Amino acid sequence: MTIRVLLADDQALLRATFRILIDSCADMEVVAEATDGAEAVARTREHRPDVVLMDIRMPGTDGLAATAAVCADPGLSGVRVLILTTFEVDEYVAQALRSGASGFLGKDVTAEELLAGIRTVAAGESLLSPTATRTLITRFLATPAPGVRLAAPERLRVLTAREREVMALAAQGLSNEEIGEQLFVSPLTVRTHIHRAMTKLEARDRAQLVVMAYQSGLVQPPPPEPDA
């Protein structure tokens, strides 16, 4: 199946570069472009792409507001948002993940990393490296922004003990393979538990499951490192 991609970035040259790269792949195509957040939301509703490649810093309506609008729209539940940022980890990325984005990429990624990231997100997986996950958790995700409601601990009662265990390990930044090694099960079994937890908790993807794990208190963030 062809992965349908929408490009949202105010830099025309960058959009053109991404379009050439994506359209050169047999398994994906660019279906629309947007120059700001408002246009990104409108084009997403019009074209219903599989993945929106979303820049955060755009004039007018930024990518943060656009991500929140796309992820909150029940009619766009099949759309995945992949954030583009000039920084690997910052507060804006954390806010986008809270809103339902599936992951993020730096603008300095290689062509291979960009294409692999699009395929990963389109497959329903999150794009969070273990290092980036731990940094986000420590700095931003465990502490809700003003006005952001915590995931209630009671919601996790629908999970089995093993599903909670797997969810907690995923929240620590472990891959399916690493979780499987720790629990002596196959990566496929881990993936099944992850997907069952996502379904029960109505999480869009693994990234949102990670946020819920910390904000519900299932896992406690590590203490901040003392200043040198």
Side-chain angles (χ1 to χ4, degrees):
M1 294 179 62
T2 301
I3 301 171
R4 304 171 71 253
V5 182
L6 186 148
L7 303 176
D9 196 298
D10 62 319
Q11 299 181 46
L13 180 58
L14 196 59
R15 291 199 315 276
T17 301
F18 285 160
R19 175 182 277 275
I20 292 171
L21 178 63
I22 292 169
D23 284 344
S24 69
C25 298
D27 63 335
M28 60 181 75
E29 64 174 336
V30 174
V31 295
E33 298 182 18
T35 59
D36 60 36
E39 186 179 10
V41 175
R43 295 274 185 171
T44 298
R45 287 173 176 154
E46 178 184 357
H47 295 277
R48 299 184 182 261
D50 300 303
V51 177
V52 178
L53 206 55
M54 182 86 75
D55 185 25
I56 289 183
R57 296 169 180 82
M58 293 184 287
T61 303
D62 63 17
L64 205 58
T67 297
V70 169
C71 295
D73 189 334
L76 301 177
S77 60
V79 178
R80 299 288 177 262
V81 177
L82 180 56
I83 297 295
L84 283 172
T85 176
T86 51
F87 304 98
E88 183 183 6
V89 176
D90 62 19
E91 186 173 4
Y92 298 112
V93 172
Q95 291 181 38
L97 292 173
R98 288 194 193 106
S99 298
S102 295
F104 62 91
L105 285 171
K107 286 190 174 180
D108 58 348
V109 296
T110 65
E112 292 76 15
E113 289 170 337
L114 175 66
L115 297 174
I118 293 172
R119 292 185 180 103
T120 297
V121 170
E125 300 294 333
S126 63
L127 192 65
L128 296 174
S129 69
T131 300
T133 299
R134 295 184 186 111
T135 304
L136 281 165
I137 288 162
T138 303
R139 295 179 58 191
F140 304 115
L141 296 185
T143 304
V148 175
R149 184 168 59 86
L150 285 167
E154 293 77 15
R155 291 192 63 187
L156 272 59
R157 291 176 182 172
V158 300
L159 302 180
T160 65
R162 179 47 65 96
E163 287 164 356
R164 285 194 296 272
E165 188 176 21
V166 170
M167 179 178 174
L169 292 172
Q172 295 173 34
L174 274 65
S175 67
N176 288 354
E177 289 74 17
E178 291 168 333
I179 295 173
E181 289 177 4
Q182 187 160 329
L183 299 181
F184 302 102
V185 297
S186 71
L188 181 59
T189 298
V190 173
R191 180 184 174 91
T192 299
H193 287 308
I194 290 286
H195 278 270
R196 284 177 179 169
M198 285 167 45
T199 299
K200 291 179 179 180
L201 297 175
E202 299 180 342
R204 289 177 65 92
D205 54 29
R206 192 187 188 104
Q208 199 165 44
L209 201 66
V210 167
V211 176
M212 294 174 72
Y214 280 86
Q215 293 190 345
S216 67
L218 177 66
V219 179
Q220 297 297 321
E225 296 181 3
D227 295 332

